[in-house]
Amino acid sequence: MLVPLSWLRDFAPFDLDPVELGEVFDNLGMVVEGMTRVGEGLDGVVVGRVVEIAAIAGADKIRRVVVDAGAPEPVEVVCGAWNFDVGDVVPLATVGTTLPGADFQIGRRKMKGVTSNGMICSSRELALGDDHAGIMVLPGAMAAEVGRPFAAAMGIESDVVYDLAIETNRPDAMSIAGVARDAAAKLGLPFSIPAPKVTATDAGGTATIVIESPDLCDRFGATIIPGVAVGPSPEWIARRLTRAGMRPINNVVDASNYVMLELGQPTHPYDLDRLPGRGLLVRAARKGETLATLDGVERRLGEGPQPDCLICDAEGTPVGIGGIMGGASSEISDGTSTVLLEAAHFERMAIARTSKRLGLRSEASARFERGVDPAGIERARDRVAELLGLAQGHRAVAGEPPVPSRVPVRVARVNAMLGTDLTSDEVRAYLGPIGFSAEPVADGILDVTVPTFRPDAEREVDVIEEVARHHGYERIARSVPRSPQVGQLTAYQHDRRRVRDVLVGEGLTEAIGPMLLGPGDHARAGLPEAPGEVIEAEDPLAREESVLRTSLLPGLLRAVVTNVSHRVIDVPLFEIGHVYGPPPAGQVLPDERERLAAILYGEGGDGRAAADVVRTLLGALRIDDVAWRASRDEPGLHPTRTVRLIAPDGAVVGVVGEVAPDALSAHDLTGRAGWIDLDLGVLLSGVPRRDPAARVVSRFPSSDVDLAFVVDDTEPAAAVERTLRDAAGDLLVDVWLFDVFRGPQVGDGRRSLAYRLRFCAPDRTLTDAEVAAIRQQCIDAVEQRHPATLRA
């Protein structure tokens, strides 16, 4: 919003440096986006009168103009504008003048044989407007001022125009008076809005007002102003409007716009003689109604999900869109003699919705959307009449006067939120100058009456914000906020990160596979893909991404294929991601689970390597009590090289083994590939763990014992390992399988499993006799519980 400093001074005596005043605006939250000095650089510009215009031989775009500048001799200039004639009064920049914003002086120039001794100026060249299409033609009455300095003759004083960014929660600052009130309160300056001086008349007759939709408009005022003579506005009004960013139109429209900028209350003048029924009616638009607005566009109304507010004549015909723009049928024209002035209060969101739906935004709608003062109707009405210099005829306001809202404010809460130590009197001193009255009702509690021009201040925190602005954010010490509930990772999230760290430490690289696969991708990996076994997208973007994955195996196999095609073979991969099975019975949503999968392809990539990774992972998670059981029916996996991991409660933790040869060959891969697929939710939340308390590390040497047992191929190696752990006792540090042998030496259908057991005592070195006794305990236990014999 453009705010001239001279206009602000109508309400408070601002006499500090303009730059310092801009800093005050910044501190109050009205950020200064630009500051322009106007009315300066006009030295050397005088009022002149055109006495002769002649063509220049050989030139069709410029003319020779002779101007009376009050000197004994007239001034000859060359001009390319054509919007003036002999007798017109114009601003003349004499030789040696530097115009505002220019970096050169006006000099004598010869064009087509004619010497130009100055320049006739447009309003833009004088920084007094945006019109650059033609010369600035002054009122005829200025002929008496010929020869006088232009600025003095026009009453132009230097001014500063601030470009302020007004946020949506500051409706009061959408007016010159509102900005002045805020700044004056901050600076401790007296502030007042002069009461308009108006007179009454019986002329002009009466007008009716009817509100049919109080949910769209709760207050509506209309005033008859007779005896209007439409013409240009006084120069000072036109100049202020121009500096505030509005184009002067005529004295009636300009007075309405002036009041909107000054007080923040939009008004709209109608030609009363063009209003059938001599009255106004406010109602909701009917579906399909149309209205030609002032911009010449026909608008269709009543077609949105929420009602549009219409201003109609007394017969119900639309003549304006409430709070946004008037209609062309009753606009002010040169023949208007009686004005019916509308000033109303509309429901904010109704205006916002209609404005957005129609793509029609105006200065009025911008203010109504934020909220205007429902009590400001009478003041705005009187101010328009005062600016026109006319008496008011019939006046009427429909709707009840507003009742200011009241908000209890705790001084302790103010200090707690701001980190200050303000007293009740200090809080009241900050609120009073900006229109909030605060009366103490209890110890440390203020009853704050919110002014009607602040509809945004609805809660205690809104009032506290006003205290903060006027106390000064720059005076509030910075501190780091503390909370009893500091954000942190859950135990599950911590463990998931640990899983990633362990796998990376084992040399695996994390991959991120697609959640959606193509038809046949599951089948190529050896997984079921019949209807009902997978979930297909109803409207996929591509057929290749139309099936929700039920396993991470297809995506990791695809990643291995990509790596091999680039001759990157020995890169074991892992992925943590969600898979989606068909909905369980009685449910609608898919069976979604988070799983951990890894594929070890290339040199050393087999089931044993996969098992080693899992053992390391279980150790890092302090998980011991997991059973390893052979499984021959895992889809996509080798039938004799795969085991299931079973939790103590029987829940399946996952599978470890090798990818089935058929699945590898379907992807043009050869050799073997270790595979890990674990249900991360069961692994991290459903399996008991060792006590994390630190154990004493023995300073005595350990002893290793190697035992090899011949067992049937159907006997799980994990079962033998569990028996060894149970039999070894408390001196056992660890046990692991280090060799598997098949051959004629052990017989058909049998294999040799070689385990290494490590023993250590915390308080002594174990003797050979002690180690031998434990060794025999382990042998006896395995041979008794399993069909196994010790291999010599």
Side-chain angles (χ1 to χ4, degrees):
M1 187 176 77
L2 299 180
V3 178
L5 176 57
S6 61
W7 205 340
L8 291 172
R9 287 172 173 158
D10 286 357
F11 304 100
F14 297 107
D15 57 0
L16 69 167
D17 182 80
V19 174
E20 294 178 5
L21 182 58
E23 293 174 354
V24 172
F25 293 147
D26 285 335
N27 292 334
L28 288 170
M30 301 178 292
V31 178
V32 179
E33 296 186 332
M35 190 178 77
T36 305
R37 296 181 182 271
V38 297
E40 298 179 350
L42 298 179
D43 297 339
V45 181
V46 299
V47 177
R49 182 172 59 86
V50 178
V51 296
E52 181 183 344
I53 301 176
I56 298 176
D60 57 355
K61 294 185 179 180
I62 56 176
R63 299 183 296 176
R64 172 180 170 271
V65 180
V66 179
V67 180
D68 177 8
E73 297 294 330
V75 178
E76 182 181 64
V77 298
V78 175
C79 183
W82 296 71
N83 68 316
F84 61 95
D85 208 340
V86 173
D88 284 342
V89 181
V90 296
L92 172 68
T94 58
V95 174
T97 299
T98 300
L99 293 176
D103 56 0
F104 62 91
Q105 289 185 340
I106 303 295
R108 289 186 176 84
R109 291 199 305 165
K110 199 167 189 177
M111 292 177 282
K112 296 293 184 178
V114 177
T115 300
S116 182
N117 297 291
M119 184 175 76
I120 306 175
C121 304
S122 68
S123 59
R124 179 185 293 182
E125 289 163 338
L126 298 175
L128 298 176
D130 292 329
D131 188 3
H132 194 61
I135 294 304
M136 182 179 183
V137 179
L138 306 180
M142 295 296 294
E145 305 291 337
V146 169
R148 284 193 64 193
F150 172 75
M154 295 292 292
I156 297 175
E157 298 180 357
S158 60
D159 202 354
V160 175
V161 178
Y162 298 96
D163 185 359
L164 303 183
I166 306 300
E167 300 300 330
T168 55
N169 67 333
R170 290 297 310 281
D172 62 303
M174 290 293 288
S175 66
I176 304 296
V179 173
R181 178 190 293 110
D182 220 26
K186 181 72 172 179
L187 295 170
L189 300 175
F191 167 84
S192 65
I193 300 178
K197 298 177 181 179
V198 294
T199 57
T201 179
D202 294 331
T206 62
T208 61
I209 298 174
V210 178
I211 300 178
E212 287 189 357
S213 300
D215 56 322
L216 300 178
C217 175
D218 57 2
R219 290 201 84 207
F220 191 89
T223 301
I224 294 177
I225 303 178
V228 173
V230 177
S233 291
E235 182 60 32
W236 68 272
I237 291 180
R239 184 163 59 249
R240 279 194 170 175
L241 289 175
T242 300
R243 291 181 180 179
M246 299 200 76
R247 178 175 60 88
I249 299 175
N250 58 55
N251 57 337
V252 177
V253 176
D254 291 352
S256 174
N257 289 337
Y258 187 100
V259 171
M260 176 182 64
L261 295 176
E262 181 176 71
L263 301 179
Q265 171 66 59
T267 61
H268 185 76
Y270 298 88
D271 188 329
L272 183 58
D273 296 330
R274 298 171 68 182
L275 279 177
R278 292 179 64 87
L280 294 174
L281 179 148
V282 186
R283 63 171 173 83
R286 303 183 184 98
K287 186 174 182 180
E289 280 189 294
T290 60
L291 171 68
T293 47
L294 288 172
D295 56 0
V297 178
E298 186 172 280
R299 313 279 180 179
R300 291 185 63 85
L301 300 155
E303 297 185 339
Q306 303 293 333
D308 300 321
C309 183
L310 281 183
I311 310 300
C312 305
D313 59 33
E315 297 178 358
T317 303
V319 294
I321 305 174
I324 300 177
M325 186 174 287
S329 63
S330 57
E331 70 175 313
I332 302 299
S333 65
D334 292 343
T336 298
S337 60
T338 304
V339 167
L340 182 61
L341 182 71
E342 164 209 316
H345 180 260
F346 298 101
E347 201 280 322
R348 286 185 286 176
M349 290 310 300
I351 303 304
R353 285 189 292 261
T354 299
S355 176
K356 183 177 181 179
R357 187 179 65 79
L358 296 178
L360 178 60
R361 187 171 175 82
S362 63
E363 289 288 342
S365 69
R367 286 162 174 80
F368 281 120
E369 288 173 12
R370 288 170 165 84
V372 301
D373 184 1
I377 291 175
E378 291 82 358
R379 182 187 292 273
R381 170 196 69 192
D382 294 347
R383 179 61 167 152
V384 172
E386 181 184 43
L387 291 173
L388 289 173
L390 298 173
Q392 295 183 26
H394 176 76
R395 299 182 297 181
V397 177
E400 295 298 322
V403 177
S405 61
R406 299 167 71 174
V407 177
V409 175
R410 297 161 291 176
V411 177
R413 183 60 176 162
V414 173
N415 290 322
M417 290 195 68
L418 303 184
T420 54
D421 191 22
L422 300 174
T423 65
S424 293
D425 289 341
E426 288 174 321
V427 172
R428 295 176 64 194
Y430 287 135
L431 293 175
I434 56 174
F436 293 74
S437 72
E439 297 298 330
V441 293
D443 186 22
I445 299 178
L446 300 174
D447 182 22
V448 177
T449 301
V450 179
T452 54
F453 56 79
R454 291 302 302 270
D456 57 299
E458 300 174 334
R459 302 165 299 165
E460 181 183 40
V461 67
D462 300 323
V463 179
I464 293 175
E465 182 181 0
E466 296 306 304
V467 175
R469 288 194 311 107
H470 285 273
H471 176 70
Y473 290 114
E474 70 280 2
R475 296 174 59 190
I476 298 176
R478 297 183 181 183
S479 61
V480 178
R482 297 180 179 180
S483 171
Q485 297 178 344
V486 179
Q488 61 182 356
L489 297 177
T490 64
Y492 182 89
Q493 291 170 329
H494 271 296
D495 287 340
R496 183 167 51 193
R497 289 192 176 186
R498 182 174 299 174
V499 166
R500 281 193 170 93
D501 292 341
V502 170
L503 295 178
V504 170
E506 286 292 292
L508 281 72
T509 299
E510 185 170 10
I512 300 177
M515 183 181 68
L516 291 167
L517 303 174
D521 285 351
H522 285 92
R524 277 192 296 276
L527 303 173
E529 197 175 354
E533 295 178 317
V534 295
I535 300 174
E536 297 187 22
E538 290 185 354
D539 188 19
L541 295 176
R543 179 172 171 76
E544 296 78 12
E545 297 178 347
S546 61
V547 180
L548 282 171
R549 64 186 180 187
T550 62
S551 169
L552 301 178
L553 178 58
L556 287 174
L557 281 172
R558 185 187 298 180
V560 170
V561 170
T562 300
N563 287 345
V564 170
S565 68
H566 290 80
R567 303 181 69 179
V568 181
I569 298 174
D570 299 324
V571 179
L573 303 173
F574 78 93
E575 179 178 358
I576 295 176
H578 289 258
V579 298
Y580 307 86
Q587 296 188 19
V588 177
L589 297 177
D591 182 16
E592 181 178 354
R593 296 175 182 270
E594 187 174 33
R595 300 193 73 89
L596 160 66
I599 187 167
L600 291 78
Y601 181 79
E603 184 177 357
D606 55 16
R608 184 179 300 175
D612 289 341
V613 171
V614 171
R615 289 190 180 93
T616 302
L617 177 61
L618 295 178
L621 295 174
R622 308 189 316 279
I623 294 175
D624 296 328
D625 200 8
V626 171
W628 298 57
R629 297 178 185 173
S631 179
R632 294 179 175 273
D633 56 356
E634 300 295 337
L637 302 184
H638 197 290
T640 63
R641 298 174 184 167
T642 300
V643 296
R644 277 190 178 184
L645 302 184
I646 309 297
D649 62 358
V652 178
V653 178
V655 293
V656 182
E658 294 185 6
V659 180
D662 291 344
L664 292 174
S665 61
H667 290 81
D668 296 325
L669 298 174
T670 59
R672 300 164 67 176
W675 176 250
I676 302 169
D677 186 4
L678 306 178
D679 187 323
L680 208 57
V682 176
L683 177 67
L684 300 183
S685 304
V687 182
R689 306 193 192 187
R690 293 192 309 269
D691 189 338
R695 295 182 178 182
V696 176
V697 178
S698 175
R699 61 187 180 90
F700 298 96
S702 60
S703 299
D704 290 351
V705 173
D706 292 346
L707 296 175
F709 297 95
V710 178
V711 300
D712 294 340
D713 278 337
T714 57
E715 189 70 16
V720 177
E721 179 181 326
R722 181 175 297 278
T723 300
L724 290 171
R725 288 185 179 275
D726 292 342
D730 295 337
L731 296 179
L732 179 67
V733 175
D734 201 1
V735 58
W736 62 92
L737 178 71
F738 69 89
D739 183 62
V740 178
F741 174 76
R742 289 181 176 85
Q745 295 89 334
V746 297
D748 295 337
R750 295 170 68 80
R751 70 191 190 282
S752 172
L753 303 176
Y755 297 90
R756 177 162 296 161
L757 293 80
R758 178 161 296 169
F759 301 97
C760 188
D763 55 352
R764 67 190 187 280
T765 300
L766 293 175
T767 65
D768 291 343
E770 288 177 310
V771 174
I774 299 174
R775 177 179 182 275
Q776 190 59 47
Q777 287 177 207
C778 293
I779 295 171
D780 294 343
V782 171
E783 290 182 339
Q784 290 172 9
R785 298 181 191 178
H786 305 275
T789 58
L790 183 66
R791 185 182 178 194

